[in-house]
Amino acid sequence: MANVNSTAKIRKLIAISFGVIALVIGVILFLKVDTPEHFGVYFTKAYYGQFGAIAICVELLVAAYYLFIGHKKTNFAMALFAFTAVLDIAINLLGFATIAVPYLIMLAFLVCAIVAFYIAFSNAFNLGKISLVNVIFSFVLGNAIAFYFNYF
């Protein structure tokens, strides 16, 4: 009984940490969004590309919430966040990104992504193994999100 209780505490601690990281980084990035003076600029790649890292923060926040409540879709949300974050980091480091994300934020995303991959693929908290279909879907959706904010 004590082992189950400590596992739940660790799960909630990780969830709260992910949530705080997502909120802090999200607010920092949102405050750096350049608001255009002309209406037409709102429809440019440079404008909406600023929201890519904020979308990753939202994914991390959703994954943290699922982890906190112990939802059965936690592992899918963790994998989705991790795939999106890792691809976005790769795109930024290779210089293909529309908007460069600061290195410290990329490092925070990378650490969270590594932990999220571990949680998702090891089923660390017994929330239901992620199926191969969900792994493929989270990979494809994560790539679509990263490419949307960086290329389209």
Side-chain angles (χ1 to χ4, degrees), residues 36-52:
E37 294 178 17
H38 304 289
F39 184 70
V41 180
Y42 283 100
F43 301 104
T44 62
K45 183 171 74 167
Y47 177 71
Y48 67 80
Q50 300 176 94
F51 295 98

Side-chain angles (χ1 to χ4, degrees), residues 12-26:
K12 289 185 177 186
L13 179 65
I14 292 171
I16 290 170
S17 299
F18 277 2
V20 168
I21 290 168
L23 287 173
V24 168
I25 292 174

Side-chain angles (χ1 to χ4, degrees), residues 29-82:
L29 293 172
F30 184 75
L31 292 175
K32 291 186 176 209
V33 170
D34 292 328
T35 307
E37 294 178 17
H38 304 289
F39 184 70
V41 180
Y42 283 100
F43 301 104
T44 62
K45 183 171 74 167
Y47 177 71
Y48 67 80
Q50 300 176 94
F51 295 98
I54 296 172
I56 295 172
C57 290
V58 171
E59 287 179 3
L60 180 58
L61 191 61
V62 169
Y65 173 72
Y66 279 163
L67 183 62
F68 187 82
I69 65 171
H71 196 274
K72 66 180 183 175
K73 294 289 184 184
T74 298
N75 291 334
F76 173 78
M78 289 286 170
L80 176 63
F81 157 73

Side-chain angles (χ1 to χ4, degrees), residues 20 49 91 97-98:
V20 168
I91 289 171
T98 305

